[in-house]
Amino acid sequence: MKELYNSPLAINFVWNLSDQEYVLPIIENIRISLARDKDRPFSRGLNVPLFFFNSSSPVIPPENKPEELALKNLVFVFTSVNTLGNKKWKEYVESLPVLDSFHIIPVAVDKNGLSHHRALHGINCIRMYEWPKKNIELYATVFLSHEIYRFGLCSDKPKEQGKSSSISIFLSHAKAGDTGRIHSEGIKSFIDNTNMNRFFDANEISPGYTFDDEIKSHIKSSTLIAIESDAYSSRYWCQREILLAKEHNRPIVVVNCLDEYEDRIFPAASNVPCIHIASSHNINDNDILRILSATIIETIRFDYSMKCLEEYKKAGWVDSDCALVARPPEIRQAIKIITDGTRKICYPEPPIYSEEADWHEYIGVEAFTPLWNKKDHNCFSDVRIGISISDFQTVDYSSENVHPDSLVNLSQDLARHLLARSATLVYGGDLRPDGFTEFILDEARILNERIPDPTVHVENHLAWPLYICGPEIISWRATYHDIMDTIEYAVPSDLVGDVNEDTFLPPNTPDNLYIWSRCLTEMRKCSVSSSTARICAGGRAFGYKGKMPGVLEEILIALEESKPIFLLGAFGGIVKDVCKIILNKETPDSLTSEWQVAHNEGYDELQKIACLKDFDADYCDIVEVLKSVDISSLASLCGLGVEEYKRLMISPFVDECVHIVLKGLKKSYG
């Protein structure tokens, strides 16, 4: 029986603004390690859900608290004199949720941070103030990520197991030459002074025990670090250790420290992360921390990926009879899986290049990711998907608890999977380098290279005068000419004669802003009308150029035209506020005329001009329209059940949202 999807893990960070100088670089380093890199969307990086909590004032705590979103929820709370000495912050920190699925990990910025009670009573703190300042970000990555492994992935009861729940590291190295041995000894010495476990080499095997059996038993429960010196790949036991780690489906990290030359890289030592360090005989703390950071992050990626795949299977996203693997499948592994009785293999996103997968068909195996199977190619060839996704501004993490990059990751994933299924993407505005359009275009460009006979296409719809541009933008458009059509809209008929259509009109006066708003509205009406369905997320509540927030206007037009509209509310911005109204019949401040006037310079004057022409934004009417929306109708138009649609509106998990959108579109148009 299919179940609802449950994310295995969610990680929360709580800190006071006064500690930001010390804490934010650490949090950012951890975030980069745990979140997928938006600049390398096809890398095999992590995509752990991360949530952030602080405020714009050191004396006022965040509006929200971490919620029970996943099977395991970790809360790193950075404690200090500022969280202990401020009454409101002290109450906030000490009243954090105490639930079976929650685990709070205090990180003491200073010694005062050790003295919190209630929710933090008796919990041993990570003493951040003891870390060397020189490598503090790397120390943070190693020690915080190790706690993520212990409490988030290793055991149901890590508190009871103590150090036995720690990561076990197997150091694999060649004894010929000094590099491998000396580097191993340096790593071993460092680990011995932490709460991590390790198994070194033959010196660790007691007399009377079988060498092969001992090696095998330790590798079965360890992450293997292969210290690749010049002699490594030619040594039998080094090859044997790699093969055992692959056979028992264990995480592996290769440390490349060649002195000069390796005549043959052992094939089994591929398809894994690799980190390079110098081959000098003395390995320093910085290199050891880099190695351990890469090792723990890969272990988290490996175990988290497997738990996600298991949850996908429970939820019915993938067939119950398919094998699950944490890396793109290898030939030896696939042969074993076939021998065990299945020919279906599911591995984590993103899908590999088709050229890399050409042997799958040859040996009769079907390999796919949870969101992509080559059988889906061209299933949306006649579908035009409107993308109403744009960034939003936030000054802190008081009420918006997702990082802006989450919205980028969402847009990349949606673009990738829709374009790979031959949908046409319709996007309005943001024609500039580094804008949201560029993320979508980059996905299209990559897919053009990855998919045989691609029919990748993006339409960029532009209101006047956005397409009246200089040489830089013309050059940029030329770069993407093969994958993007620019649809240019003329000035509305009632404004013809009021402007010089060949000259850019700056939005610097109320009258000019009115002209911009009229042009943007006409473009949005045409863009929405030309779309088969619409996907909406994020969106600015202020700082826009139309008569109302652009994503909000596209939502209202789509509702008026009864277009299928997918609302993804958990990624912040105006769509979050729209979902609040529809779900809870609440009116957020951002959807009142008073708030809009207060947060948008010149907006009051624009509204007065627009009102005279019966073109103003009436927020009372807008709110009433949204309150009257029937979720069952929204769901039905999108090919979804009511509970599925509600989940789409509140889920902060990119993979779940993409799955629900694809499921609805496939039911309606596939």
Side-chain angles (χ1 to χ4, degrees), residues 419-491:
L419 290 167
R421 290 162 171 80
S422 300
T424 295
L425 299 190
V426 178
Y427 193 89
D430 208 282
L431 184 62
R432 68 180 189 272
D434 299 321
F436 255 66
T437 303
E438 187 163 58
F439 293 125
I440 293 172
L441 295 175
D442 286 341
E443 292 300 312
R445 171 62 50 74
I446 294 168
L447 283 164
N448 255 335
E449 299 169 355
R450 293 173 66 95
I451 296 177
D453 304 319
T455 53
V456 173
H457 198 65
V458 178
E459 284 184 5
N460 189 247
H461 289 227
L462 292 175
W464 186 90
L466 288 172
Y467 51 83
I468 307 295
C469 51
E472 181 187 0
I473 296 299
I474 291 173
S475 174
W476 184 79
R477 286 167 62 174
T479 301
Y480 293 104
H481 76 280
D482 55 329
I483 52 175
M484 177 184 71
D485 277 348
T486 300
I487 312 298
E488 300 177 351
Y489 291 89
V491 173

Side-chain angles (χ1 to χ4, degrees), residues 60 131 194:
I60 300 175
W131 293 338
T194 71

Side-chain angles (χ1 to χ4, degrees), residues 172-174 176-185 200 227 229 257:
S172 175
H173 65 94
D178 290 332
T179 301
R181 176 181 59 80
I182 292 174
H183 284 7
S184 293
E185 288 173 348
F200 185 41
I227 302 176
S229 58
C257 51

Side-chain angles (χ1 to χ4, degrees), residues 396-420:
D396 56 47
Y397 292 107
S398 181
S399 58
E400 300 283 5
N401 306 118
V402 295
H403 193 277
D405 279 2
S406 296
L407 202 57
V408 176
N409 293 146
L410 173 69
S411 69
Q412 287 175 326
D413 278 7
L414 284 167
R416 176 189 310 129
H417 289 288
L418 292 169
L419 290 167

Side-chain angles (χ1 to χ4, degrees), residues 5 311-319 370-371 655-657 659:
Y5 170 68
E311 290 301 319
Y312 298 156
K313 183 181 277 192
K314 289 179 185 176
W317 294 17
V318 297
D319 294 341
L371 298 175
D655 50 356
E656 182 177 25
C657 290
H659 169 77

